[in-house]
């Protein structure tokens, strides 16, 4: 996949990669009973990555850099969900000190509430307070519109799939406002699946799912600053 950016008639193509977080505690079945975790258990609030997930994140970082290099591109912006599993995936994938290239800047990392998993009922999808997260990741840039408390998560109400799709559209419509042309989105399985199903259905065929640390790469097309669609999105590595 090559960089097809053009400024003709204000037509623009940005390279975009979607990454699901690594395996976290709530993604694992009970080793004794093989039962899935109880997502209504408050002890599973905003879980961290397990060792497997941390290894996945490190490997994903290497694969992302290799993929962009193969296109003669640099990653310029990373936008990530504020849930801990995504923040850890982002931090490990873009670990400082991996490269010392004085002619190349490290990508800017921006934390956005709009990239979260579906709101409500499931405790793994409940966000921690913004001030606590900022104290743990002080070098990241935080969306100023993000509230201190998680005002969207409700114990008895789950966000509709239609509303999730609307959130994905808001992010895609915002991206053309950025100056960066190579962008990585670190989010969640449901968010990425509904984004691709709505805006590039060919990326997921025959019931294909988005698994932990899958990398989907393609192009975001806009004209006169307005989002037009996603093109050629597919798994970067099979």
């Amino acid at each position: 996949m090559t960089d097809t950016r053009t400024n003709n008639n204000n037509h623009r193509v940005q390279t975009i990669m979607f990454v699901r977080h690594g395996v976290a505690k709530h993604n694992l079945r009970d080793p004794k009973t093989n039962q899935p975790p109880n997502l209504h258990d408050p002890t599973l609030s905003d879980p961290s990555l397990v060792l497997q997930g941390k290894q996945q994140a490190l490997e994903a970082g290497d694969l992302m850099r290799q993929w962009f290099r193969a296109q003669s591109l640099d990653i310029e912006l990373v936008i990530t969900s504020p849930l801990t599993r995504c923040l850890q995936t982002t931090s490990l994938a873009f670990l400082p000190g991996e490269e010392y290239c004085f002619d190349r800047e490290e990508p800017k990392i921006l934390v956005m509430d709009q990239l979260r998993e579906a709101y409500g009922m499931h405790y793994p999808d409940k966000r921690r307070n913004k001030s606590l997260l900022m104290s743990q990741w002080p070098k990241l840039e935080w969306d100023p519109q993000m509230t201190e408390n998680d005002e969207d998560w409700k114990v008895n109400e789950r966000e509709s799939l239609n509303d999730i799709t609307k959130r994905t559209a808001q992010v895609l419509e915002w991206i053309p406002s950025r100056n960066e042309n190579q962008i990585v989105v670190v989010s969640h399985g449901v968010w990425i699946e509904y984004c691709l199903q709505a805006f590039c259905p060919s990326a997921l065929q025959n019931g294909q799912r988005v698994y932990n640390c899958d990398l989907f790469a393609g192009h975001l097309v806009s004209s006169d600053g307005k989002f037009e669609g996603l093109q050629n999105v597919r798994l970067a590595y099979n």
Side-chain angles (χ1 to χ4, degrees):
M1 186 181 299
T2 57
D3 180 14
T4 58
R5 285 175 289 167
T6 174
N7 292 319
N8 294 336
N9 299 319
N10 295 319
H11 179 77
R12 184 184 185 195
V13 179
Q14 293 163 286
T15 302
I16 189 166
M17 180 174 282
F18 299 94
V19 185
R20 185 184 174 189
H21 62 81
V23 172
K25 184 178 179 181
H26 73 295
N27 297 130
L28 299 177
R29 290 178 174 268
D30 187 293
K32 295 181 180 179
T33 66
N34 199 37
Q35 292 299 308
N38 176 12
L39 301 181
H40 301 279
D41 180 357
T43 65
L44 284 177
S45 291
D46 191 25
S48 301
L49 297 179
V50 298
L51 178 59
Q52 178 188 356
K54 295 172 184 176
Q55 293 171 331
Q56 288 177 322
L58 289 168
E59 292 170 359
D62 285 341
L63 291 174
M64 280 187 272
R65 283 185 287 273
Q66 291 172 20
W67 188 91
F68 277 92
R69 281 198 206 105
Q71 325 303 319
S72 299
L73 300 173
D74 293 325
I75 301 168
E76 297 176 315
L77 175 67
V78 180
I79 55 176
T80 179
S81 159
L83 296 184
T84 295
R85 54 194 182 270
C86 282
L87 293 172
Q88 289 181 322
T89 298
T90 299
S91 298
L92 290 167
F94 298 95
L95 193 66
E98 287 296 298
E99 296 178 324
Y100 288 95
C101 297
F102 298 104
D103 61 343
R104 181 185 304 156
E105 294 184 3
E106 291 291 327
K108 180 180 294 185
I109 300 176
L110 174 62
V111 186
M112 299 181 65
D113 235 6
Q114 292 293 77
L115 292 172
R116 286 173 52 187
E117 189 59 288
Y119 304 142
M121 297 181 68
H122 296 175
Y123 276 90
D125 305 329
K126 185 177 182 180
R127 173 171 63 78
R128 298 175 193 268
N129 287 352
K130 181 180 180 181
S131 58
L132 175 61
L133 294 170
M134 291 179 69
S135 71
Q136 297 298 304
W137 285 277
K139 294 185 179 181
L140 305 188
E141 183 177 335
W142 293 80
D143 183 354
Q145 297 182 354
M146 187 186 301
T147 59
E148 168 64 11
N149 300 317
D150 187 353
E151 299 176 358
D152 295 305
W153 192 92
K154 304 291 189 298
V155 69
N156 294 316
E157 183 181 352
R158 185 77 170 162
E159 184 182 21
S160 72
L161 299 180
N162 184 55
D163 284 341
I164 297 170
T165 302
K166 288 180 180 178
R167 276 202 290 123
T168 69
Q170 290 170 357
V171 173
L172 298 179
E173 290 166 358
W174 167 84
I175 287 176
S177 71
R178 300 291 304 193
N179 292 326
E180 298 88 356
N181 285 306
Q182 289 82 243
I183 298 171
V184 171
V185 179
V186 183
S187 188
H188 304 265
V190 170
W191 194 99
I192 296 172
E193 286 177 2
Y194 275 83
C195 177
L196 296 181
Q197 288 169 9
F199 300 105
C200 192
S202 61
L204 297 175
Q205 297 182 344
N206 302 317
Q208 183 180 356
R209 303 299 307 273
V210 176
Y211 296 105
N212 295 103
C213 279
D214 272 353
L215 312 178
F216 283 83
H219 294 117
L220 186 149
V221 180
S222 60
S223 182
D224 294 319
K226 294 182 179 180
F227 169 69
E228 292 189 341
L230 294 175
Q231 293 181 354
N232 306 318
V233 179
R234 58 183 181 270
L235 271 174
Y237 293 94
N238 293 321

